[in-house]
């Protein structure tokens, strides 16, 4: 994302934002609002501001989408205190310890989106094409945000009116039922697609929302309902959305990268595999707001070993933090021999036991490798939201629901994963043991492909509650998230999530 526009966007957002409330919907004063929306550049800056706020919410979105899943668990290998974050993978969240407060700050941006939509619909300083493109983006972004609220809390406060001059967090407004929120998500998706029309362009190194991103979201949403009561009709809607992308964006602009590692290369941001990403850059913004909770301390790491028995070189492996949440050791062992995704995704750490043998004691993220700034490694990697392998595996998922053969899509992903080691007769679909159960095969492939991309908990939820209960210690009555007490106090019409 262009740094000049980022600065303008933050300036616009700051000018239009007031104090923080329990729902974090920043109120906008009437006076400030009346003095804005005068030029096309102001609308452009505001859209960049919405994407910048999206970036600031990336850590909470990651936690909502993955922290409660079977990706994490166990005690961090350095012995760091987990500071309550163990409640995520152990699924021991409760009303007193909700894990995430204020609905993950997501209402901040929803309010700004409401404001933008309201003003853009009546703007007379924009060309019709510019107005349509902006509305396509922002309706799509709002649908994505509301989908996060729906999947995480079920019932959610929703209004299309922007907050102007009052504290919406203290507004006595009851939550809209989850089913209506879900329908609103679908409505916003269709509005987004309608405004985009035939425009499939993807801009700014894939860091701006696009029609392809809306179509990916549509597939995601309709697969969710297809696994429940939508059946084949919703599965076909999801499939059609994905095929729409394939039919209208050339393979030179959207396809699998040749190697899995190449997807995350710092010097190849916005590559052909990316559909929509949160963009970070050195001296601009760090991954997950700079959060370090998945990475080890230097003092601990320097005493540990690589798989070949050599001491870890902390001048190279200098992705340091204070680990509060660790990838479960068993996940490293789930990958089949030859699957390159394992070592791109995870760094394995060992201790030497008395007989000199190595014992696996820790794992931390390796796919976000960052870039060196002098002697310091800086995690300013992009954070992908949707990419082409996601399209392929959602297409495989839709085909399974429709009773069709998912081999083409699964095997494209597996062949890239194994590279020269790929043997269709042993690891190709349908020749792995898990392939006897195609839905399970797709779900496992998604684990290997998207680990640490904020998808696993949502994947388990989408495939059905039985999967969540099989793979995690979660209770059936507590698959949603509790609401923090502050939000309930400030809005007496809010009710605690059922089960808490």
């Amino acid at each position: 994302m262009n740094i000049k526009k980022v600065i303008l966007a933050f300036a616009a957002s700051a000018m239009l934002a007031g104090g923080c409330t329990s729902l974090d919907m920043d109120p906008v004063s009437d006076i400030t609002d009346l003095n804005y929306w005068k030029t096309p550049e102001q609308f452009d800056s505001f859209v960049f501001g919405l994407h910048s706020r999206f970036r600031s919410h990336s850590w909470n979105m990651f936690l909502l989408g993955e922290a409660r899943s079977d990706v994490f668990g166990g005690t961090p290998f350095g012995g760091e205190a987990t500071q309550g974050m163990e409640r995520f993978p152990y699924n021991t969240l409760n009303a007193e310890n909700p894990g995430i407060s204020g609905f993950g700050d997501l209402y901040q941006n929803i309010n700004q989106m409401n404001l933008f939509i309201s003003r853009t619909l009546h703007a007379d300083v924009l060309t019709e094409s510019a107005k349509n493109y902006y509305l396509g983006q922002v309706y799509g972004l709002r649908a994505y945000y509301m989908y996060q609220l729906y999947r995480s809390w079920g019932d959610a406060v929703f209004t299309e009116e922007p907050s102007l001059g009052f504290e919406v967090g203290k507004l006595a407004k009851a939550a809209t039922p989850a089913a209506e929120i879900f329908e609103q998500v679908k409505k916003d998706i269709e509005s987004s697609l309608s405004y985009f029309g035939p425009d499939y362009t993807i801009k700014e190194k894939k860091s701006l929302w696009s029609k392809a991103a809306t179509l990916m979201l549509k597939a995601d949403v309709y697969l969710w309902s297809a696994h429940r009561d939508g059946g084949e009709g919703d599965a076909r809607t999801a499939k059609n959305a994905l095929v729409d992308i394939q039919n209208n964006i050339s393979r030179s602009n959207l396809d699998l990268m040749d190697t899995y590692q190449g997807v995350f290369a710092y010097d190849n941001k916005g590559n052909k595999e990316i559909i929509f990403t949160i963009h970070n850059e050195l001296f601009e913004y760090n991954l997950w707001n700079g959060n370090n909770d998945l990475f080890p301390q230097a003092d601990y790491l320097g005493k540990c070993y690589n798989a070949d028995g050599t001491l870890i070189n902390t001048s190279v492996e200098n992705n340091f933090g204070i680990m509060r949440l660790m990838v479960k050791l068993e996940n490293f062992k789930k990958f089949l021999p030859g699957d390159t995704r394992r070592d791109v995704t995870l760094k394995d750490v060992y201790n030497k036991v008395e007989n000199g043998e190595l014992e696996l004691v820790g794992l931390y993220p390796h796919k976000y490798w960052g870039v060196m700034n002098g002697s310091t490694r800086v995690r300013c990697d992009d954070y992908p939201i949707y990419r082409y392998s996601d399209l392929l595996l959602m297409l495989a998922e839709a085909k399974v629901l429709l009773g069709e053969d998912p081999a083409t899509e699964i095997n494209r992903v597996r062949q890239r994963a194994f590279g020269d080691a790929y043997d269709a007769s042993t690891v190709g679909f349908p020749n792995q043991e898990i392939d006897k159960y195609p839905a399970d095969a797709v779900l496992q492939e998604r684990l290997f492909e998207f680990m640490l991309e904020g998808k696993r908990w949502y994947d388990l939820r989408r495939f059905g509650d039985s999967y969540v209960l099989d793979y995690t210690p979660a209770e059936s009555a507590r698959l949603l998230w509790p609401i923090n007490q502050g939000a309930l106090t400030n809005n007496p019409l809010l009710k605690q999530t059922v089960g808490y």
Side-chain angles (χ1 to χ4, degrees), residues 179-422:
E180 294 181 31
I181 295 294
F182 195 60
E183 289 308 308
Q184 182 62 47
V185 170
K186 290 182 176 180
K187 180 181 176 183
D188 277 1
I189 287 171
E190 294 311 314
S191 294
S192 173
L193 294 175
S194 177
Y195 279 112
F196 273 126
D199 192 341
Y200 288 85
T201 57
I202 309 179
K203 301 177 180 179
E204 294 288 334
K205 295 184 178 180
K206 316 285 187 72
S207 66
L208 291 181
W209 194 270
S210 64
K211 182 172 183 176
T214 299
L215 287 166
M216 289 292 290
L217 176 60
K218 183 174 183 176
D220 195 341
V221 167
Y222 278 86
L223 284 173
W224 182 284
S225 54
H227 281 285
R228 289 160 174 79
D229 55 3
E232 289 192 4
D234 282 2
R236 192 161 299 283
T237 298
K239 178 182 176 181
N240 290 342
L242 300 167
V243 172
D244 187 338
I245 298 172
Q246 289 182 317
N247 288 343
N248 288 285
I249 301 179
S250 70
R251 291 298 172 87
S252 62
N253 292 325
L254 189 61
D255 203 350
L256 288 182
M257 291 290 288
D258 293 338
T259 67
Y260 188 71
Q261 187 173 22
V263 178
F264 309 97
Y266 182 84
D267 59 358
N268 196 25
K269 291 175 179 287
N271 57 67
K272 67 178 181 179
E273 182 152 341
I274 300 300
I275 296 174
F276 175 63
T277 190
I278 293 176
H279 182 66
N280 302 298
E281 198 79 45
L282 184 64
F283 307 127
E284 179 193 321
Y285 211 82
N286 288 349
L287 175 72
W288 294 326
N289 312 19
N291 190 279
N292 292 320
D293 288 340
L294 307 184
F295 299 87
Q297 293 188 51
D299 289 346
Y300 293 131
L301 190 61
K303 300 172 184 176
C304 296
Y305 295 83
N306 297 301
D308 62 3
T310 59
L311 276 169
I312 289 177
N313 182 350
T314 54
S315 66
V316 175
E317 286 290 337
N318 54 358
N319 247 324
F320 304 138
I322 301 178
M323 184 179 285
R324 310 294 188 196
L325 199 59
M326 189 175 78
V327 176
K328 291 169 68 172
L329 299 181
E330 65 190 63
N331 282 319
F332 189 75
K333 302 170 185 177
K334 288 180 180 178
F335 289 88
L336 293 177
D339 190 335
T340 62
R341 293 173 295 191
R342 186 193 70 177
D343 292 339
V344 171
T345 302
L346 300 170
K347 172 59 184 172
D348 46 329
V349 178
Y350 300 84
N351 279 342
K352 282 188 176 179
V353 295
E354 290 183 0
N355 60 5
E357 293 185 357
L358 296 173
E359 175 189 21
L360 180 66
V361 294
L363 297 168
Y364 63 88
H366 226 224
K367 64 167 56 171
Y368 307 116
W369 187 233
V371 66
M372 294 299 292
N373 177 30
S375 60
T376 303
R377 187 172 298 282
V378 182
R379 284 191 300 278
C380 44
D381 307 86
D382 283 6
Y383 180 53
I385 303 298
Y386 290 125
R387 51 191 180 88
Y388 194 71
S389 60
D390 201 357
L391 184 154
L392 290 174
L393 291 177
M394 282 202 288
L395 187 51
E397 184 180 339
K399 285 186 172 183
V400 170
L401 289 168
L402 292 167
E404 300 174 7
D405 184 4
T408 298
E409 289 74 26
I410 292 176
N411 285 337
R412 281 211 67 197
V413 174
R414 287 182 180 176
Q415 187 168 10
R416 195 266 298 274
F418 285 88
D420 292 340
Y422 180 73

Side-chain angles (χ1 to χ4, degrees), residues 21-25 102-103 105-108 157 168-169 487 491 494:
T21 70
S22 68
L23 285 183
D24 289 323
M25 291 179 80
F103 299 93
D105 297 332
L106 301 186
Y107 280 104
Q108 286 182 350
V157 173
V168 71
N491 183 352
L494 272 181

Side-chain angles (χ1 to χ4, degrees), residues 76-120:
F77 70 93
E80 295 95 330
T82 54
Q83 297 289 311
M85 291 190 72
E86 78 285 348
R87 288 185 175 274
F88 293 127
Y90 295 153
N91 278 274
T92 56
L93 301 174
N94 54 44
E96 293 74 32
N97 303 279
I100 291 178
S101 297
F103 299 93
D105 297 332
L106 301 186
Y107 280 104
Q108 286 182 350
N109 225 9
I110 292 171
N111 187 56
Q112 301 293 63
M113 293 170 196
N114 289 345
L115 179 64
F116 183 86
I117 290 170
S118 174
R119 299 302 178 259
T120 305

